[in-house]
Amino acid sequence: MFEQLKAYNPSEKGRELIALLFPLSHLEREKNIVEYWNHYPQEKQAVLDGFHFIIQEIMESRQAGIKSDVINLPESLLEMILNQMVAEKNYFTYKDSNQFFDTVFKTKPAVFKDNELIIKITQKHFKLETEKKSTSKPSLPYSDEIDTKLKSICNVAGKAYSELTRIQRSINNSQKFIDSYKSGKSDISIFEVKLAKETFLESKKIYNDNSSIIAKGMQHIYEIYQNYSDQIVVKKSYIKYLAKLLGSREARNPPENYILALATGDFDFNVPDFEPTDLQLQHGKTRYSLQKEYSLILQKDINRLEARYRKRKLTIMLKNDVAKTKIIQELQDILKLDPMDIKTYIFLAKLFADYSNSFSDHKKRGIFREQALRYCETAFSKIDDYLDLQAIKQMKDRDIARSGFVKTISSIRIPLIKKT
């Protein structure tokens, strides 16, 4: 039986440790995480993140048919890890340690060499976890005050987005004019070019100012979403806000059709009526089940948009020469959040292909190239799904977009095949 862990963001130190563990075999990973703990006993959070990474890798290896690797860490280290989980209330996005380990225990063959040892340690900490929960401050109920704050922030962002989409046309027209002059058109005067440049700079400033307004409000919207994600109106507003944020990030290169479609229009603060019809009642639908179905649909959009937001930050990290292993680990987490985005597979394929060239060992180099080829293969299989998400329906437009993806994937795949 194969299980997958929920997406989890490790700490900065944890990412550094994961980068060290990433290229190693399982036994070397266990040896290195113990050594790391011995040398840096103060870096408990990093060890916790490394522990999650090792579990995740074994669970994924089970899906690939690898059954021999099992976790056999010292009991003292496992005890420290559980202490850290409780102290920081860090259960890798799960409700508590029991829920996390229940998911891990479902994987067959077992991930741990001794499940009973893990159970014994978790039971020892269960009382502590319960005490911490009972003394924690409960979140306030969703109130009119919070609702007013939500709508106020969203309305400000809505006006800012309308303004930057309006000014976008001015930016594009000015840029086209300047590009035409650079291409050698003789009927454009120096004065006209100067005016176009001034218009471009002025428009770009207005665009960036409004984009900043949206970015500043994101922190407050995210905080509301974190505390009240069970509220339909909050989920709907968070989706629209995220889409407007992503849609405001590029002045010259338009975002995906999918993002623009979600970003367009005003915020809708109305909650649908979930009262089931007679036909729905006959099929066993209830008010609760209809609301749950609708909420799951909203969650898909949230996952897709959050994945794109996180991926955009990664491209900036890559430009700043952050280690490829860190980027790869984050992208693999993003895939769990949104397994349908072809661009993530292409991104990973390119990173694995590039990273393979850093190894002098033929075996390690081959492993990374094989992984890159697998991502290429998966990317090929998801082209049409991606085009459907972008609502590209005209055959001519689909063919053009498909051809672009095939060309990009082939540029990664063909050199890998030639080297194997």
Side-chain angles (χ1 to χ4, degrees):
M1 183 177 180
F2 301 131
E3 291 288 328
Q4 282 192 331
L5 295 179
K6 293 180 181 179
Y8 166 71
N9 279 324
S11 64
E12 188 61 36
K13 285 287 186 181
R15 291 180 189 280
E16 292 176 7
L17 175 57
I18 289 167
L20 296 173
L21 299 177
F22 183 80
L24 305 176
S25 68
H26 172 66
L27 291 177
E28 289 173 325
R29 285 170 179 166
E30 286 202 336
K31 178 182 176 183
N32 276 266
I33 197 171
V34 172
E35 290 179 353
Y36 184 90
W37 177 48
N38 290 334
H39 282 90
Y40 307 102
Q42 74 280 9
E43 298 296 346
K44 295 178 180 179
Q45 183 58 51
V47 174
L48 185 62
D49 295 336
F51 174 70
H52 177 273
F53 167 73
I54 291 175
I55 291 177
Q56 180 178 282
E57 288 294 293
I58 289 185
M59 289 175 70
E60 290 182 0
S61 73
R62 292 291 186 267
Q63 298 185 42
I66 301 172
K67 301 179 180 180
S68 56
D69 293 340
V70 289
I71 294 177
N72 188 26
L73 293 170
E75 183 174 351
S76 56
L77 176 55
L78 292 172
E79 181 79 32
M80 185 281 289
I81 288 170
L82 265 294
N83 275 329
Q84 183 68 12
M85 288 174 72
V86 174
E88 299 297 327
K89 291 195 285 189
N90 181 355
Y91 308 114
F92 310 117
T93 71
Y94 286 83
K95 184 179 178 181
D96 53 40
S97 62
N98 285 342
Q99 193 180 87
F100 170 71
F101 284 113
D102 282 346
T103 302
V104 177
F105 289 161
K106 289 177 184 177
T107 300
K108 304 299 179 187
V111 171
F112 291 95
K113 184 175 182 180
D114 187 357
N115 278 351
E116 293 301 319
L117 174 61
I118 302 298
I119 293 169
K120 183 183 78 173
I121 297 174
T122 54
Q123 286 176 342
K124 186 189 299 183
H125 291 84
F126 181 73
K127 182 178 178 182
L128 178 58
E129 289 186 54
T130 305
E131 289 173 353
K132 283 185 172 285
K133 286 176 188 174
S134 63
T135 57
S136 63
K137 185 180 178 180
S139 59
L140 296 172
Y142 191 71
S143 63
D144 290 342
E145 184 181 354
I146 296 166
D147 190 64
T148 300
K149 180 181 178 182
L150 171 79
K151 291 174 181 177
S152 174
I153 297 168
C154 289
N155 287 332
V156 169
K159 289 177 183 177
Y161 188 78
S162 295
E163 180 63 14
L164 66 81
T165 52
R166 183 189 66 79
I167 210 71
Q168 177 75 68
R169 289 189 289 273
S170 175
I171 293 173
N172 292 342
N173 290 336
S174 300
Q175 189 63 54
K176 286 178 183 177
F177 199 85
I178 295 167
D179 291 342
S180 294
Y181 176 77
K182 289 180 179 178
S183 68
K185 285 194 173 183
S186 57
D187 57 339
I188 300 175
S189 67
I190 296 293
F191 175 77
E192 289 174 316
V193 174
K194 182 180 177 183
L195 184 61
K197 285 183 177 179
E198 289 175 354
T199 302
F200 176 84
L201 291 173
E202 183 182 346
S203 300
K204 191 70 184 291
K205 183 181 183 306
I206 296 172
Y207 185 101
N208 289 337
D209 288 345
N210 283 283
S211 180
S212 296
I213 290 172
I214 299 172
K216 286 177 183 177
M218 182 62 203
Q219 179 182 348
H220 303 294
I221 290 297
Y222 182 70
E223 183 181 342
I224 293 173
Y225 171 70
Q226 285 292 94
N227 290 323
Y228 305 101
S229 58
D230 59 326
Q231 298 290 321
I232 295 295
V233 68
V234 173
K235 274 193 167 183
K236 286 177 63 181
S237 300
Y238 182 58
I239 289 169
K240 179 71 74 174
Y241 205 105
L242 257 180
K244 288 184 184 295
L245 177 68
L246 290 168
S248 70
R249 294 292 84 190
E250 296 292 343
R252 288 195 63 184
N253 302 314
E256 302 169 52
N257 292 350
Y258 166 69
I259 291 173
L260 291 176
L262 290 175
T264 301
D266 297 330
F267 285 87
D268 178 11
F269 303 112
N270 295 313
V271 176
D273 181 9
F274 296 108
E275 195 65 39
T277 64
D278 290 340
L279 182 60
Q280 287 172 329
L281 285 170
Q282 290 174 23
H283 286 86
K285 300 292 185 181
T286 64
R287 188 182 186 85
Y288 172 77
S289 67
L290 290 173
Q291 182 173 341
K292 187 176 181 181
E293 287 173 10
Y294 184 75
S295 185
L296 288 173
I297 292 171
L298 295 180
Q299 191 61 50
K300 280 188 178 181
D301 282 327
I302 289 172
N303 290 348
R304 286 170 179 157
L305 292 171
E306 285 188 337
R308 282 157 173 76
Y309 180 69
R310 286 167 61 180
K311 195 163 52 175
R312 191 181 186 283
K313 294 170 85 172
L314 287 182
T315 59
I316 297 171
M317 291 170 63
L318 197 58
K319 289 177 184 176
N320 294 330
D321 295 325
V322 174
K324 283 188 173 66
T325 50
K326 291 185 179 181
I327 308 295
I328 287 172
Q329 177 63 31
E330 176 71 7
L331 282 171
Q332 289 176 325
D333 287 342
I334 287 172
L335 268 187
K336 294 174 184 176
L337 196 62
D338 178 21
M340 298 304 294
D341 189 356
I342 185 177
K343 292 185 178 180
T344 308
Y345 291 97
I346 293 172
F347 199 170
L348 275 165
K350 182 70 168 65
L351 287 174
F352 269 98
D354 292 344
Y355 195 51
S356 69
N357 295 325
S358 66
F359 292 100
S360 57
D361 182 87
H362 178 74
K363 185 178 179 181
K364 285 186 177 179
R365 191 164 63 245
I367 291 171
F368 278 81
R369 285 177 180 168
E370 286 175 11
Q371 186 65 53
L373 287 169
R374 279 197 290 270
Y375 281 125
C376 285
E377 184 179 348
T378 306
F380 274 127
S381 71
K382 294 186 179 294
I383 292 176
D384 282 311
D385 290 334
Y386 183 83
L387 299 182
D388 289 341
L389 181 66
Q390 306 305 322
I392 301 175
K393 297 178 180 179
Q394 295 293 328
M395 191 57 67
K396 181 181 177 182
D397 295 336
R398 288 180 75 91
D399 287 344
I400 292 171
R402 186 183 293 107
S403 176
F405 280 124
V406 169
K407 184 177 180 181
T408 301
I409 299 168
S410 297
S411 69
I412 301 170
R413 181 175 176 272
I414 292 173
L416 291 170
I417 294 173
K418 288 180 178 179
K419 289 176 182 177
T420 54

